[in-house]
Coordinates of all heavy atoms in Angstrom, one line a residue:
L1 N 52.3 101.7 150.2 CA 52.6 102.9 149.4 C 53.3 102.4 148.1 O 54.1 101.4 148.1 CB 53.6 103.8 150.1 CG 53.1 104.4 151.4 CD1 54.2 105.3 152.0 CD2 51.8 105.2 151.2
T2 N 53.1 103.2 147.0 CA 53.8 102.9 145.8 C 55.3 103.4 146.0 O 55.6 104.1 147.0 CB 53.2 103.7 144.6 OG1 53.4 105.1 144.8 CG2 51.8 103.3 144.3
Q3 N 56.1 103.0 145.1 CA 57.5 103.4 145.2 C 57.7 104.9 145.2 O 58.4 105.5 146.0 CB 58.4 102.8 144.1 CG 59.9 103.2 144.3 CD 60.5 102.6 145.6 OE1 60.3 101.4 145.9 NE2 61.1 103.5 146.3
R4 N 56.9 105.6 144.4 CA 57.0 107.1 144.3 C 56.4 107.7 145.5 O 56.9 108.7 146.0 CB 56.3 107.6 143.1 CG 57.1 107.5 141.8 CD 58.4 108.3 142.0 NE 58.9 108.6 140.7 CZ 60.2 109.0 140.5 NH1 61.0 109.1 141.5 NH2 60.6 109.3 139.3
E5 N 55.3 107.2 146.1 CA 54.7 107.7 147.3 C 55.7 107.6 148.4 O 55.9 108.5 149.2 CB 53.4 107.0 147.7 CG 52.3 107.3 146.7 CD 51.2 106.3 146.8 OE1 51.3 105.3 147.5 OE2 50.2 106.5 146.0
A6 N 56.4 106.5 148.5 CA 57.4 106.2 149.5 C 58.6 107.2 149.3 O 59.2 107.7 150.3 CB 57.9 104.8 149.5
D7 N 59.0 107.4 148.1 CA 60.1 108.3 147.8 C 59.8 109.7 148.3 O 60.6 110.4 148.9 CB 60.4 108.4 146.3 CG 61.0 107.1 145.7 OD1 61.5 106.2 146.5 OD2 60.9 106.9 144.5
V8 N 58.6 110.2 147.9 CA 58.2 111.5 148.3 C 58.1 111.6 149.9 O 58.7 112.6 150.4 CB 56.8 111.9 147.7 CG1 56.2 113.1 148.4 CG2 56.9 112.0 146.2
A9 N 57.6 110.6 150.5 CA 57.5 110.6 152.0 C 58.9 110.6 152.6 O 59.1 111.3 153.6 CB 56.7 109.4 152.5
C10 N 59.8 109.8 152.1 CA 61.1 109.7 152.6 C 61.9 111.0 152.4 O 62.5 111.5 153.4 CB 61.9 108.6 151.9 SG 63.5 108.3 152.5
L11 N 61.8 111.6 151.3 CA 62.5 112.9 151.0 C 61.9 114.0 151.9 O 62.6 114.8 152.5 CB 62.4 113.3 149.6 CG 63.2 112.5 148.6 CD1 62.8 112.7 147.2 CD2 64.7 112.8 148.9
L12 N 60.5 114.0 152.1 CA 59.9 115.0 152.9 C 60.4 114.8 154.4 O 60.7 115.7 155.1 CB 58.4 114.8 152.8 CG 57.5 115.9 153.6 CD1 57.7 117.2 152.9 CD2 56.1 115.5 153.6
A13 N 60.4 113.5 154.8 CA 60.9 113.2 156.2 C 62.3 113.6 156.4 O 62.8 113.9 157.5 CB 60.7 111.8 156.5
S14 N 63.1 113.7 155.3 CA 64.5 114.1 155.4 C 64.6 115.6 155.4 O 65.8 116.2 155.4 CB 65.3 113.5 154.2 OG 65.3 112.1 154.3
G15 N 63.5 116.3 155.3 CA 63.5 117.8 155.3 C 63.6 118.5 154.0 O 63.8 119.7 153.9
V16 N 63.4 117.7 152.9 CA 63.5 118.3 151.6 C 62.2 119.0 151.2 O 61.1 118.4 151.5 CB 63.8 117.2 150.5 CG1 63.9 117.8 149.1 CG2 65.1 116.5 150.9
Q17 N 62.2 120.2 150.7 CA 61.1 120.9 150.3 C 60.4 120.3 149.1 O 61.1 119.7 148.3 CB 61.4 122.4 150.0 CG 62.0 123.1 151.2 CD 61.0 123.3 152.3 OE1 59.8 123.6 152.0 NE2 61.4 123.1 153.6
L18 N 59.1 120.6 148.9 CA 58.4 120.0 147.8 C 59.0 120.3 146.4 O 59.1 119.5 145.5 CB 56.9 120.4 147.8 CG 56.1 120.0 149.0 CD1 54.6 120.4 148.9 CD2 56.2 118.5 149.2
N19 N 59.4 121.6 146.2 CA 60.0 122.0 144.9 C 61.3 121.2 144.7 O 61.6 120.7 143.5 CB 60.4 123.4 144.9 CG 59.1 124.3 144.7 OD1 58.1 123.8 144.2 ND2 59.2 125.5 145.2
A20 N 62.1 120.9 145.7 CA 63.3 120.2 145.6 C 63.0 118.7 145.3 O 63.8 118.0 144.6 CB 64.2 120.4 146.8
I21 N 61.9 118.2 146.0 CA 61.5 116.8 145.7 C 61.2 116.6 144.3 O 61.6 115.7 143.6 CB 60.4 116.4 146.6 CG1 60.8 116.4 148.1 CG2 59.8 115.0 146.2 CD1 59.7 116.2 149.1
A22 N 60.4 117.6 143.7 CA 60.0 117.5 142.3 C 61.2 117.5 141.4 O 61.3 116.7 140.5 CB 59.1 118.7 142.0
A23 N 62.2 118.3 141.7 CA 63.4 118.4 140.9 C 64.2 117.1 141.0 O 64.7 116.5 140.1 CB 64.3 119.6 141.3
A24 N 64.3 116.6 142.3 CA 65.1 115.3 142.5 C 64.5 114.1 141.8 O 65.2 113.2 141.3 CB 65.2 115.1 144.0
L25 N 63.1 114.1 141.7 CA 62.5 113.0 141.1 C 62.1 113.2 139.6 O 61.6 112.4 139.0 CB 61.2 112.6 141.9 CG 61.3 112.2 143.3 CD1 60.0 112.0 144.0 CD2 62.2 111.0 143.5
D26 N 62.5 114.4 139.2 CA 62.3 114.8 137.8 C 60.8 114.7 137.4 O 60.5 114.2 136.4 CB 63.2 114.0 136.8 CG 63.3 114.6 135.4 OD1 63.2 115.8 135.3 OD2 63.4 113.8 134.5
V27 N 60.0 115.3 138.3 CA 58.5 115.4 138.0 C 58.1 116.8 138.4 O 58.8 117.5 139.0 CB 57.7 114.3 138.8 CG1 58.1 112.9 138.5 CG2 57.9 114.5 140.3
G28 N 56.8 117.1 138.0 CA 56.3 118.4 138.3 C 55.8 118.5 139.8 O 55.6 117.4 140.5
L29 N 55.6 119.7 140.3 CA 55.2 119.9 141.6 C 53.8 119.3 141.8 O 53.5 118.7 142.9 CB 55.2 121.4 141.9 CG 54.8 121.8 143.4 CD1 55.7 121.2 144.4 CD2 54.8 123.3 143.5
G30 N 52.9 119.4 140.8 CA 51.6 118.8 140.9 C 51.7 117.3 141.1 O 50.9 116.7 141.9
T31 N 52.6 116.6 140.5 CA 52.8 115.2 140.7 C 53.3 114.8 142.1 O 52.8 113.9 142.7 CB 53.9 114.6 139.6 OG1 53.4 114.9 138.3 CG2 54.1 113.1 139.8
V32 N 54.2 115.6 142.6 CA 54.6 115.5 144.0 C 53.4 115.6 144.9 O 53.2 114.8 145.8 CB 55.7 116.4 144.4 CG1 56.0 116.4 145.9 CG2 57.0 116.1 143.6
R33 N 52.6 116.6 144.7 CA 51.4 116.8 145.6 C 50.5 115.7 145.5 O 49.8 115.3 146.4 CB 50.8 118.2 145.2 CG 51.6 119.3 145.7 CD 50.8 120.6 145.5 NE 51.6 121.7 146.1 CZ 51.8 122.9 145.5 NH1 51.3 123.1 144.3 NH2 52.5 123.8 146.1
F34 N 50.3 115.1 144.3 CA 49.4 114.0 144.1 C 49.9 112.8 144.9 O 49.2 112.1 145.6 CB 49.3 113.6 142.6 CG 48.6 112.3 142.4 CD1 47.2 112.3 142.4 CD2 49.3 111.1 142.1 CE1 46.5 111.1 142.2 CE2 48.6 109.9 142.0 CZ 47.2 109.9 142.0
H35 N 51.2 112.5 144.8 CA 51.8 111.4 145.5 C 51.7 111.6 147.1 O 51.4 110.7 147.8 CB 53.3 111.1 145.2 CG 53.4 110.6 143.8 ND1 52.8 109.5 143.3 CD2 54.2 111.0 142.8 CE1 53.1 109.3 142.1 NE2 54.0 110.2 141.7
L36 N 51.8 112.9 147.4 CA 51.7 113.2 148.9 C 50.3 113.0 149.4 O 50.1 112.4 150.4 CB 52.1 114.7 149.0 CG 52.4 115.2 150.4 CD1 53.4 114.4 151.1 CD2 52.8 116.7 150.3
K37 N 49.3 113.4 148.6 CA 47.9 113.2 148.9 C 47.6 111.7 149.1 O 46.9 111.2 150.0 CB 46.9 113.8 147.9 CG 46.8 115.3 148.0 CD 46.0 115.8 146.8 CE 44.9 116.7 147.3 NZ 44.1 117.2 146.1
Q38 N 48.1 110.9 148.1 CA 47.9 109.5 148.2 C 48.5 108.9 149.4 O 48.0 108.0 150.1 CB 48.5 108.8 146.9 CG 47.8 109.1 145.6 CD 46.4 108.7 145.6 OE1 45.5 109.5 145.7 NE2 46.1 107.4 145.5
A39 N 49.7 109.3 149.8 CA 50.4 108.9 151.0 C 49.6 109.3 152.2 O 49.5 108.5 153.2 CB 51.8 109.4 151.1
Y40 N 49.1 110.5 152.3 CA 48.2 110.9 153.4 C 47.0 109.9 153.5 O 46.7 109.4 154.6 CB 47.6 112.3 153.2 CG 48.5 113.5 153.2 CD1 48.0 114.7 152.7 CD2 49.7 113.4 153.8 CE1 48.8 115.8 152.7 CE2 50.5 114.6 153.8 CZ 50.1 115.8 153.3 OH 50.8 116.9 153.3
Q41 N 46.4 109.6 152.5 CA 45.2 108.8 152.5 C 45.6 107.4 153.0 O 44.9 106.8 153.8 CB 44.6 108.7 151.1 CG 43.3 107.9 151.1 CD 42.6 108.0 149.7 OE1 43.3 108.2 148.7 NE2 41.3 107.9 149.6
K42 N 46.6 106.8 152.5 CA 47.0 105.5 152.8 C 47.6 105.3 154.3 O 47.5 104.3 154.9 CB 48.1 104.9 151.9 CG 47.5 104.7 150.5 CD 48.5 104.2 149.5 CE 48.0 104.0 148.1 NZ 49.0 103.5 147.2
T43 N 48.1 106.4 154.8 CA 48.7 106.4 156.2 C 47.7 106.9 157.2 O 48.0 106.9 158.4 CB 50.0 107.2 156.3 OG1 49.8 108.5 155.9 CG2 51.1 106.6 155.4
G44 N 46.6 107.5 156.7 CA 45.6 108.0 157.7 C 46.1 109.4 158.3 O 45.6 109.8 159.3
T45 N 46.9 110.1 157.5 CA 47.4 111.4 158.0 C 46.7 112.4 157.1 O 46.1 112.1 156.1 CB 48.9 111.5 157.9 OG1 49.3 111.3 156.6 CG2 49.6 110.5 158.8
N46 N 46.9 113.7 157.5 CA 46.3 114.8 156.7 C 47.2 116.0 156.7 O 46.8 117.1 156.4 CB 44.9 115.2 157.3 CG 45.0 115.6 158.7 OD1 46.0 115.8 159.3 ND2 43.8 115.9 159.2
S47 N 48.5 115.9 157.0 CA 49.4 117.0 156.9 C 50.8 116.4 156.7 O 51.1 115.3 157.0 CB 49.4 117.8 158.2 OG 49.9 117.1 159.3
Q48 N 51.7 117.3 156.3 CA 53.1 116.9 156.1 C 53.7 116.5 157.4 O 54.4 115.5 157.5 CB 53.9 118.1 155.5 CG 53.5 118.3 154.0 CD 54.3 119.5 153.4 OE1 55.4 119.8 153.9 NE2 53.8 120.0 152.3

């Protein structure tokens, strides 16, 4: 995973909502969703 993909996954695993992840990382919600999709693909998962 890239650093951002790992950041998103870690925050999600900590129970942080997507909007709050976007705010915490100072990126848009679409960017968070992009990193999330990449993390799904790399980990072989398909859901949060």
